[in-house]
């Protein structure tokens, strides 16, 4: 299948030392971008800039899904995803020219494939895989089916996805993706070819370990977020939702909860439920907004609401809210249950329970002083865990760890030990 690819050389003369005090690193980043740009694409872009600012020489190879513009094209891409030789050859051509210390893979589906790691290691490069989604164990990448979490393929056969048509509602497509998952699981790709994995949260690390990823190679490192500056002073007012208006985001439950609590929540975003939610008494739909407007809205809100029904990877809306000094009301599910400290940086409610969510929303609305205190605590968490300089140092440490592991493996291979 012909697929567009953009090789973007972002290399520059590295600093004498990097931000963590170590020798400069050469990093080749490989990422299969999405047709509709989303959170993963934005996270990769932020990392590229942060690595350059930290003193690394960086090159990025992007593969784009723009040519996958029909159902037959999607099926062809899915069936080629087990090996994807064209994508791998593009990345390795860049590696031969750039000579990286580390090949860092983000999204590998469908134009790159997990096979990129074997190719990179054979060429002597350390390899790192960021686990943005659950694609290495789940055909749809979300660990979700029929509007609820599903982990049947985590420890069981990935071919269960075929029965439920988990990939885009297609059994044939699901078979293709399940084949990719099964092949690399049986081949030992994740145990043999990847030096270090990056999980975004402790919850994600547990799920990937259950799926067979060697837990001793998984490091936790959240996506970084540049500091927007000190949160604005003054009183806060109103509750805010920012995200896609789709079922898994819990917006229908949110609308019901807001109406039950006698509140009207501002909702920034668009999605398939926009029409169904138009005119709902619990939501004020304002459509999509730019980053500056979103940041300003968060700085005015008493709290941001994240009522998701699925295992979010690392919703950056939480990091953005914390950076703005704004607490978060979230579902007690997956990573969210660990990202929000109940009663400290926000409140948690049972996922899908409109009554429980309504009680949490009413509590925040009725206690501005308490919400402000939680917001200050949230800002402290952001500065400690999500600020760009913190996450960049963590990423550099992972790279150096991967390089050391690769060197140790090469030494063992030479000595035959």
């Amino acid at each position: 299948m012909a697929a567009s690819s953009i090789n973007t050389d972002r290399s520059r003369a590295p600093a004498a030392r990097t931000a963590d005090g170590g020798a400069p690193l050469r990093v080749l980043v490989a990422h299969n971008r999405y047709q509709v740009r989303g959170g993963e694409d934005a996270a990769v872009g932020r990392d590229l800039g942060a690595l350059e600012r930290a003193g690394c020489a960086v090159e990025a190879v992007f593969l784009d899904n723009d040519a996958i513009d029909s159902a037959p094209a999607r099926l062809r891409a899915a069936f080629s995803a087990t090996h994807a030789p064209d994508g791998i050859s593009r990345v390795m051509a860049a590696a031969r020219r750039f000579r990286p210390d580390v090949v860092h893979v983000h999204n590998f589906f469908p134009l790159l494939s997990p096979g990129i790691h074997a190719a990179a290691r054979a060429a002597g490069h350390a390899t790192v895989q960021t686990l943005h989604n659950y694609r290495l164990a789940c055909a749809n990448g979300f660990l979700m089916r029929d509007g609820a979490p599903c982990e049947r393929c985590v420890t069981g056969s990935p071919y269960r996805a075929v029965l439920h048509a988990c990939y885009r509602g297609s059994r044939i497509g699901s078979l293709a993706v399940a084949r990719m998952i099964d092949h690399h699981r049986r081949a030992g790709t994740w145990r043999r070819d990847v030096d270090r994995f990056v999980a975004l949260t402790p919850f994600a690390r547990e799920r990937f370990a259950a799926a067979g990823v060697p837990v001793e190679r998984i490091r936790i490192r959240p996506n970084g977020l540049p500091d927007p500056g000190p949160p604005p002073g003054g009183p806060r007012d109103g509750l805010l939702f920012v995200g896609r208006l789709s079922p898994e985001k819990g917006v229908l439950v949110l609308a019901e909860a807001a109406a039950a609590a006698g509140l009207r929540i501002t909702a920034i975003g668009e999605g398939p439920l926009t029409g169904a939610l138009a005119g709902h008494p619990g939501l004020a739909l304002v459509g999509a907004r730019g980053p500056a407007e979103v940041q300003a809205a968060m700085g005015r809100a008493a709290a941001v609401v994240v009522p998701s029904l699925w295992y979010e990877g690392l919703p950056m809306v939480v990091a953005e809210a914390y950076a703005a000094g704004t607490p978060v009301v979230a579902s007690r599910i997956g990573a969210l249950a660990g990202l929000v400290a109940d009663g400290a940086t926000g409140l948690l409610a049972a996922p899908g329970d409109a009554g429980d969510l309504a009680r949490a929303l009413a509590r925040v609305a009725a206690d501005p002083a308490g919400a402000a205190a939680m917001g200050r605590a949230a800002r402290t968490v952001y500065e400690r865990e999500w600020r760009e300089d913190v996450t960049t140092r963590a990423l550099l440490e992972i790279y150096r760890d991967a390089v050391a592991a690769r060197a140790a493996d090469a030494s063992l291979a030479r000595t035959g030990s």
Side-chain angles (χ1 to χ4, degrees):
M1 179 192 68
S4 61
S5 174
I6 301 175
N7 290 354
T8 304
D9 186 346
R10 300 175 60 107
S11 60
R12 67 173 187 179
R17 310 295 285 179
T18 53
D20 65 342
L25 289 169
R26 299 179 67 80
V27 183
L28 178 65
V29 173
H31 177 56
N32 192 156
R33 291 193 288 207
Y34 294 84
Q35 285 181 327
V36 178
R37 299 293 186 255
E40 289 184 33
D41 299 302
V44 173
R46 285 193 297 267
D47 273 357
L48 289 171
L51 288 169
E52 288 180 339
R53 288 188 288 274
C56 296
V58 184
E59 180 165 325
V61 179
F62 294 117
L63 290 90
D64 288 302
N65 288 349
D66 293 340
I68 308 174
D69 55 2
S70 66
R74 285 193 290 272
L75 285 177
R76 288 194 298 270
F79 273 101
S80 68
T82 299
H83 298 292
D86 289 346
I88 291 175
S89 67
R90 288 186 174 96
V91 175
M92 294 313 299
R96 285 190 294 273
R97 174 175 48 79
F98 184 63
R99 302 189 311 277
D101 299 300
V102 178
V103 175
H104 184 174
V105 180
H106 288 270
N107 178 42
F108 55 74
F109 182 82
L111 300 180
L112 190 52
S113 100
I116 181 58
H117 290 289
R121 280 180 62 78
H125 310 303
T127 62
V128 173
Q129 172 73 59
T130 290
L131 302 166
H132 290 283
N133 57 53
Y134 296 98
R135 186 79 69 184
L136 64 79
C138 172
N140 65 32
F142 302 125
L143 294 185
M144 183 178 185
R145 179 170 59 84
D146 296 334
C150 173
E151 298 189 24
R152 296 190 67 194
C153 294
V154 171
T155 56
S157 169
Y159 291 104
R160 291 174 175 174
V162 180
L163 175 64
H164 302 289
C166 291
Y167 178 71
R168 295 180 176 271
S170 166
R171 286 190 170 87
I172 296 177
S174 298
L175 174 63
V177 184
R179 177 171 168 265
M180 177 195 74
I181 295 169
D182 185 55
H183 172 83
H184 289 286
R185 182 181 289 178
R186 291 177 182 273
T189 296
W190 307 118
R191 290 190 169 276
R192 182 189 62 242
D193 297 330
V194 184
D195 293 300
R196 292 295 179 266
F197 297 86
V198 180
L200 304 182
T201 66
F203 175 83
R205 179 178 62 182
E206 293 173 1
R207 296 299 85 221
F208 286 113
V213 175
V215 68
E216 69 276 8
R217 297 187 191 179
I218 305 176
R219 302 292 182 266
I220 298 172
R221 181 259 180 185
N223 296 325
L225 184 69
D227 193 344
R236 303 288 190 99
D237 183 51
L239 302 176
L240 179 68
F241 170 88
V242 180
R244 180 171 166 79
L245 302 181
S246 55
E248 74 277 5
K249 292 294 186 178
V251 288
L252 294 174
V253 178
L254 175 61
E256 182 182 348
L263 299 170
R264 188 165 172 80
I265 295 175
T266 300
I268 296 178
E270 298 175 333
L273 293 179
T274 299
L277 292 170
H280 194 286
L283 296 181
L285 306 184
V286 299
R289 293 290 186 270
E293 289 182 84
V294 171
Q295 181 182 328
M298 286 185 172
R300 295 189 298 267
V304 169
V305 190
V306 186
S308 295
L309 304 179
W310 71 294
Y311 294 159
E312 297 271 7
L314 179 66
M316 290 306 290
V317 66
V318 177
E320 292 165 356
Y322 282 13
T326 306
V328 172
V329 178
S331 298
R332 188 182 289 103
I333 187 172
L336 287 171
L339 295 174
V340 177
D342 195 23
T345 61
L347 298 174
L348 294 171
D353 187 332
D356 198 28
L357 181 57
R359 286 188 288 273
L361 299 177
R363 177 178 167 185
V364 170
D367 186 8
M374 290 190 290
R376 290 190 292 272
R379 171 68 188 188
T380 299
V381 171
Y382 161 75
E383 292 175 349
R384 184 178 69 239
E385 299 180 9
W386 274 322
R387 202 172 61 195
E388 183 183 276
D389 59 326
V390 175
T391 58
T392 302
R393 283 196 299 271
L395 184 56
L396 291 173
E397 182 178 345
I398 292 169
Y399 286 164
R400 298 193 193 285
D401 198 17
V403 169
R406 181 72 185 98
D409 286 351
S411 178
L412 287 173
R414 285 194 300 270
T415 61
S417 302

